[in-house]
């Protein structure tokens, strides 16, 4: 497969999440170019036994199909998305949160019926590798992207990548346990995730959906899908 690697800087005009998939512009400090740690996602090339989440999202022009996989390492969790999309679009000028992208909400297993201000994190990455990284600061909102109090060290406790493929794009994000405010012993088998995907043809034809099977609800942290040693608990 012919893969084009995209090198980006997750810098100016990062955005803050204001509602389910609704974004508004905000400024944030520059973030160094991504360095992928020496970890890899579960190998699904032979059909694998790892449990994945699959989603399909239709806009008015085409369908995008995503396969989400997850795996633990000694230092954190790696979240990967393979997206089949014949119409990859990244030209929305008012916010790249409306470009073709995938998103995640991540937190430890919790009883919180809303977003958990003690530990729900939001990460978005577009097909071009533009990103948001935020932490909940209330049951219904998130703080600034790449806020200093996140203590995010790119190439250390955090990294990401985006690649164009022949049939769409592929993304990875590594979130260190310390970035998530926890440790390996506590987090292993207890991190929970809700993925989402946006399929955009242009600024007027864009559809966002979060995973909603198995009781998962984007606005309810206690409903997110638990990640086990072999992948998502679905």
């Amino acid at each position: 497969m012919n893969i084009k690697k995209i090198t980006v800087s997750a810098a100016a005009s990062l955005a803050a999440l204001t509602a389910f998939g609704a974004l508004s512009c905000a400024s944030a400090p520059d973030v160094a170019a991504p360095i992928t740690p020496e970890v890899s996602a579960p190998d699904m090339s032979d059909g694998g036994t790892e449990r994945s989440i699959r989603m399909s999202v239709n806009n008015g022009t085409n369908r995008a199909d995503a396969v989400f996989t997850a795996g633990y390492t000694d230092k954190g969790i790696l979240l990967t998305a393979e997206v089949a999309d014949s119409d990859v679009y990244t030209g929305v000028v008012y916010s790249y949160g409306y470009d073709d992208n995938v998103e995640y909400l991540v937190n430890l297993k919790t009883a919180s019926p809303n977003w958990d201000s003690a530990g729900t994190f939001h990460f978005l990455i577009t097909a071009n590798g533009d990103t948001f990284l935020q932490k909940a600061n209330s049951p219904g909102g998130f703080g600034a992207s790449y806020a200093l109090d996140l203590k995010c060290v790119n190439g250390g406790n955090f990294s990401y990548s985006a690649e164009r493929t022949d049939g769409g794009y592929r993304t990875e994000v590594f979130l260190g346990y310390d970035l998530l405010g926890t440790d390996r012993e506590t987090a292993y088998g207890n991190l929970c995730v809700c993925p989402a995907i946006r399929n955009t043809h242009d600024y007027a034809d864009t559809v966002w959906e979060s995973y909603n099977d198995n009781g998962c609800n984007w606005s309810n942290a206690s409903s997110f899908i638990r990640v086990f040693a072999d992948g998502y608990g679905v």
Side-chain angles (χ1 to χ4, degrees):
M1 174 166 48
N2 180 28
I3 295 177
K4 177 185 178 183
K5 184 74 173 183
I6 300 170
T7 302
V8 298
S9 173
S13 299
L14 296 172
L17 186 71
T18 56
F20 307 157
L23 301 154
S24 63
C25 290
S27 61
D30 285 354
V31 178
I35 303 172
T36 303
E38 294 181 1
V39 295
S40 59
D43 182 4
M44 300 293 288
S45 61
D46 60 355
T49 59
E50 292 84 2
R51 292 182 288 180
S52 60
I53 286 176
R54 296 173 182 269
M55 293 181 64
S56 295
V57 178
N58 293 283
N59 59 28
T61 304
N62 80 318
R63 186 179 83 180
D65 299 303
V67 179
F68 294 93
T69 55
Y72 291 102
T73 77
D74 286 341
K75 297 185 181 297
I77 189 169
L78 183 71
L79 305 173
T80 301
E82 299 268 3
V83 181
D85 186 347
S86 62
D87 180 37
V88 176
Y89 186 83
T90 56
V92 179
V93 296
Y94 51 83
S95 172
Y96 54 69
Y98 289 92
D99 288 344
D100 279 325
N101 69 67
V102 295
E103 293 184 67
Y104 303 93
L105 294 181
V106 183
N107 49 238
L108 285 169
K109 185 173 172 58
T110 178
S112 174
N114 305 295
W115 294 329
D116 187 350
S117 57
T120 297
F121 290 79
H122 168 243
F123 180 76
L124 177 152
I125 183 166
T126 73
N128 267 1
D130 296 310
T131 61
F132 308 143
L133 176 65
Q134 302 164 283
K135 182 181 178 182
N137 59 6
S138 71
F142 286 85
S145 186
Y146 293 104
L148 292 178
D149 61 4
L150 289 178
K151 297 180 180 178
C152 172
V153 181
N154 208 5
N157 62 8
F158 168 72
S159 66
Y160 62 88
S161 65
E163 299 171 341
R164 292 293 183 91
T165 66
D166 287 342
Y169 62 98
R170 181 181 190 274
T171 67
E172 285 188 359
V173 58
F174 171 78
L175 303 171
Y177 298 130
D178 60 330
L179 175 63
L180 299 175
T182 185
D183 54 40
R184 184 183 186 280
E185 182 178 6
T186 303
Y188 200 93
N190 290 307
L191 285 173
C192 302
V193 178
C194 180
I197 180 174
R198 181 175 290 278
N199 184 16
T200 296
H201 173 64
D202 57 28
Y203 73 96
D205 184 8
T206 179
V207 177
W208 177 91
E209 289 186 16
S210 62
Y211 182 70
N212 58 16
D213 289 340
N214 298 291
C216 189
N217 184 329
W218 180 261
S219 62
N220 184 341
S222 67
S223 73
F224 298 169
I225 304 301
R226 197 168 168 184
V227 178
F228 295 97
D230 60 347
Y232 287 104
V234 292

